[in-house]
């Protein structure tokens, strides 16, 4: 009996004792301190998102590449060609006015009146047109050329260049025949030279119109 009692006592000592905080298992878990009412643990965790983030860039923002010499050349070319286009439109308007006044001057000079009232307006328009034409052409020639420009065949630019080449030849021919017609005052061939000058003026206007229209329209 004594041995049996000893075994029972040892078994009772070996049994696990209940935790002292076992009564807390019946309460809602909370992150709040103190003894007052608090929100459940799930709500507390949802209200406090993690402060750390995996959205980061080890290399940082890439800096823009420095502008190359070719980019600078193309910007300069764009400025030159935009100015060339404005001068081209101005030349077209001046040529229309010069041809109209030149026709009136021809009719007045070799008609019945010969008042000479269109001589000065035609001269001013002719010299102004020639000067604006020269400036516009120089802007196109001075514009930087792109490197390795492909050959596109007969495109609008090629038609524009051909028209302006004919217009340049016409401008020079007009200047020669205009000065010659003025110097032949009183000679029998003055009218024929003046008529040639007038015809070249119409041809130059047509060439300029084709050249400008190839790029504008």
């Amino acid at each position: 009996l004594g041995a049996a009692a000893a075994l029972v006592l040892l078994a009772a000592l070996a049994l696990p004792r209940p935790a002292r905080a076992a009564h807390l298992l019946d309460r809602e878990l909370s992150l709040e301190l103190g003894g007052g009412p608090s929100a459940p643990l799930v709500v507390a965790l949802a209200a406090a998102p993690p402060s750390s983030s995996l959205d980061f860039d080890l290399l940082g923002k890439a800096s823009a590449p420095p502008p190359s010499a070719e980019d600078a050349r193309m910007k300069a070319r764009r400025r030159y060609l935009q100015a060339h286009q404005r001068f081209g439109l101005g030349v077209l308007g001046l040529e229309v006015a010069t041809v109209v006044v030149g026709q009136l001057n021809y009719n007045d000079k070799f008609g019945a009146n010969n008042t000479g009232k269109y001589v000065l307006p035609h001269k001013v328009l002719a010299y102004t047109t020639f000067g604006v034409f020269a400036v516009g052409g120089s802007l196109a020639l001075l514009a930087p050329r792109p490197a390795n420009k492909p050959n596109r065949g007969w495109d609008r630019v090629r038609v524009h260049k051909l028209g302006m080449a004919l217009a340049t030849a016409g401008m020079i021919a007009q200047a020669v025949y205009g000065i010659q017609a003025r110097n032949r005052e009183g000679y029998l061939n003055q009218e024929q030279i003046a008529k040639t000058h007038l015809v070249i003026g119409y041809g130059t206007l047509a060439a300029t119109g084709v050249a400008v229209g190839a790029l504008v329209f």
Side-chain angles (χ1 to χ4, degrees), residues 82-205:
Q82 286 176 349
H84 169 72
Q85 185 178 17
R86 297 188 185 97
F87 273 90
L89 294 174
V91 165
L92 184 60
L94 286 171
E95 281 194 45
V96 172
T98 304
V99 170
V100 171
V101 177
Q103 182 68 63
L104 294 174
N105 184 44
Y106 178 85
N107 296 339
D108 180 74
K109 174 69 177 178
F110 302 102
N113 298 324
N114 192 16
T115 61
K117 61 181 179 180
Y118 297 107
V119 174
L120 183 59
H122 177 66
K123 184 177 180 179
V124 171
L125 283 171
Y127 280 107
T128 303
T129 303
F130 192 87
V132 175
F133 185 91
V135 173
S138 299
L139 288 172
L141 294 176
L142 294 176
R145 297 290 187 272
N148 301 323
K149 182 179 180 181
N151 186 5
R152 299 178 179 176
W154 280 98
D155 56 356
R156 290 173 175 264
V157 176
R158 187 66 60 86
V159 174
H160 173 75
K161 290 181 178 179
L162 177 61
M164 294 311 296
L166 294 175
T168 302
M171 282 285 181
I172 297 174
Q174 279 188 96
V176 172
Y177 276 92
I179 295 173
Q180 188 177 4
R182 184 183 61 190
N183 294 335
R184 298 301 292 177
E185 183 68 36
Y187 289 86
L188 295 177
N189 63 345
Q190 184 186 26
E191 183 177 358
Q192 183 60 40
I193 296 174
K195 183 181 292 185
T196 303
H197 169 74
L198 184 62
V199 171
I200 294 175
Y202 279 105
T204 305
L205 176 60

Side-chain angles (χ1 to χ4, degrees), residues 21-104:
H23 65 282
L24 296 178
L25 295 177
D26 297 332
R27 298 177 58 183
E28 293 179 341
L29 294 177
S30 172
L31 295 179
E32 298 288 340
L33 298 178
S38 59
L41 177 61
V42 177
V43 177
L45 292 176
S51 58
S52 62
S53 174
L54 297 178
D55 187 13
F56 57 89
D57 189 357
L58 292 176
L59 301 178
K61 294 184 178 180
S63 59
S68 62
E70 185 66 19
D71 293 337
R73 285 169 55 85
M74 290 301 98
K75 289 182 179 179
R77 176 178 174 81
R78 188 178 300 109
R79 291 195 300 269
Y80 274 85
L81 294 183
Q82 286 176 349
H84 169 72
Q85 185 178 17
R86 297 188 185 97
F87 273 90
L89 294 174
V91 165
L92 184 60
L94 286 171
E95 281 194 45
V96 172
T98 304
V99 170
V100 171
V101 177
Q103 182 68 63
L104 294 174

